[in-house]
């Protein structure tokens, strides 16, 4: 399986705290992406980081990538109740236009 | 939602029956994908297409077939549905290296 794993599986924090979730993957990649899924909905793209980048920011999101360890982390700062969702990392296979997802982290932000 | 429509949204069927799920896009994108989502497994790639009549297998293709006779339509068929195929199925397209997803089809095989 080329599927990655995310850690933790579930995370519960208070509003205003930071949330960090981690992703590990198995193969060489061109880029890594993070997606968000609200309950009962499809996934929505959040941010993309390329294999030659180490860190990227977008609003309250900060993503890091360590290709030597085949891992990435997503940090959401100053969390809000509306950030409650599941978060998935996805990698593309160098051999083609295929995308493989991690198992996801369920984030609950308590108001 | 990025011009992707999945149908039906919900379906209940019996073991052994064939089932076809449809994905329709209005974006004229070349690549289309079918994923299934199950608790503890995240999303797993079933099949994908890189053009009309051009398809390839993903991680969990056994028991599934696909067809793409037009750019805008990508069909997923469960040849003989089994209870293990109860899942939520998502169609996706790529644009600017990102995936855009449909709203999903909840399939229950009894």
């Amino acid at each position: 399986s080329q599927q990655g794993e995310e850690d933790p599986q579930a995370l519960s924090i208070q509003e205003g705290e930071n949330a960090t979730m981690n992703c590990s993957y198995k193969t060489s990649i061109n880029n890594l992406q993070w997606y968000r899924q609200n309950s009962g909905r499809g996934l929505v793209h959040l941010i993309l980081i390329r294999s030659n980048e180490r860190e990227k920011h977008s609003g309250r999101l900060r993503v890091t990538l360590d290709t030597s360890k085949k891992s990435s982390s997503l940090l959401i700062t100053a969390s809000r109740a509306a950030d409650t969702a599941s978060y998935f990392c996805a990698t593309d296979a160098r051999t083609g236009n295929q995308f493989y997802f991690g198992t996801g982290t369920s984030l609950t932000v308590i108001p | 939602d990025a011009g992707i429509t999945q149908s039906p949204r919900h379906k209940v069927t019996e073991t052994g029956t064939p089932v076809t799920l449809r994905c329709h896009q209005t974006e004229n994108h070349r690549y289309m994908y079918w994923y299934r989502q199950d608790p503890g497994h995240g999303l797993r790639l079933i099949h994908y297409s890189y053009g009309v009549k051009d398809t390839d297998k993903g991680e969990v293709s056994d028991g599934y077939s696909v067809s793409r006779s037009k750019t805008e339509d990508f069909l997923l068929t469960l040849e003989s549905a089994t209870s293990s195929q109860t899942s939520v199925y998502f169609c996706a397209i790529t644009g600017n290296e990102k995936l855009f997803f449909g709203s999903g089809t909840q399939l229950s095989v009894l």
Side-chain angles (χ1 to χ4, degrees):
Chain A
S1 169
Q2 299 197 48
Q3 190 169 38
E5 289 188 3
E6 294 185 55
D7 170 59
Q9 287 188 329
L11 179 61
S12 183
I13 60 174
Q14 296 289 331
E15 200 166 32
E17 294 180 338
N18 295 342
T20 300
M21 49 205 87
N22 305 294
C23 165
S24 61
Y25 58 91
K26 300 180 180 179
T27 63
S28 296
I29 62 172
N30 292 313
N31 62 58
L32 184 143
Q33 304 179 45
W34 285 89
Y35 288 79
R36 166 193 170 126
Q37 183 182 35
N38 287 86
S39 181
R41 306 293 297 273
L43 280 72
V44 175
H45 180 267
L46 293 176
I47 192 167
L48 178 153
I49 185 166
R50 301 193 184 282
S51 60
N52 61 354
E53 297 176 310
R54 292 297 167 259
E55 187 170 315
K56 198 163 185 179
H57 296 254
S58 176
R60 292 185 296 114
L61 305 179
R62 173 180 169 248
V63 172
T64 62
L65 178 64
D66 186 336
T67 54
S68 67
K69 295 181 179 177
K70 291 187 169 59
S71 67
S72 173
S73 68
L74 171 68
L75 169 67
I76 303 173
T77 61
S79 63
R80 305 165 182 169
D83 294 329
T84 294
S86 292
Y87 293 82
F88 296 87
C89 66
T91 55
D92 66 333
R94 278 199 178 273
T95 55
N97 215 328
Q98 302 167 49
F99 297 83
Y100 296 94
F101 283 80
T103 49
T105 293
S106 176
L107 173 66
T108 301
V109 181
I110 302 166
Chain B
D1 285 320
I4 306 170
T5 304
Q6 290 186 232
S7 59
R9 290 295 312 276
H10 302 273
K11 186 169 182 67
V12 179
T13 191
E14 293 184 350
T15 300
T17 60
V19 176
T20 296
L21 308 183
R22 179 178 183 245
C23 178
H24 178 80
Q25 61 146 331
T26 60
E27 308 297 318
N28 201 34
H29 284 289
R30 180 181 170 198
Y31 281 84
M32 298 183 75
Y33 306 81
W34 278 108
Y35 287 88
R36 60 177 289 174
Q37 184 174 27
D38 305 287
H41 291 279
L43 278 81
R44 291 180 290 176
L45 181 63
I46 305 172
H47 281 280
Y48 67 101
S49 170
Y50 45 96
V52 173
K53 297 185 180 178
D54 292 323
T55 65
D56 205 348
K57 296 179 180 180
E59 303 169 277
V60 289
S61 59
D62 287 349
Y64 301 95
S65 63
V66 289
S67 66
R68 192 162 177 206
S69 59
K70 299 185 289 185
T71 299
E72 58 266 35
D73 289 326
F74 191 32
L75 304 181
L76 176 71
T77 297
L78 288 65
E79 293 139 11
S80 178
T82 67
S83 58
S84 65
Q85 292 176 312
T86 291
S87 187
V88 180
Y89 291 85
F90 285 99
C91 174
I93 61 174
T94 48
N96 295 325
E97 301 178 289
K98 306 167 190 174
L99 285 169
F100 296 92
F101 285 83
S103 298
T105 294
Q106 172 68 61
L107 176 68
S108 297
V109 183
L110 305 178

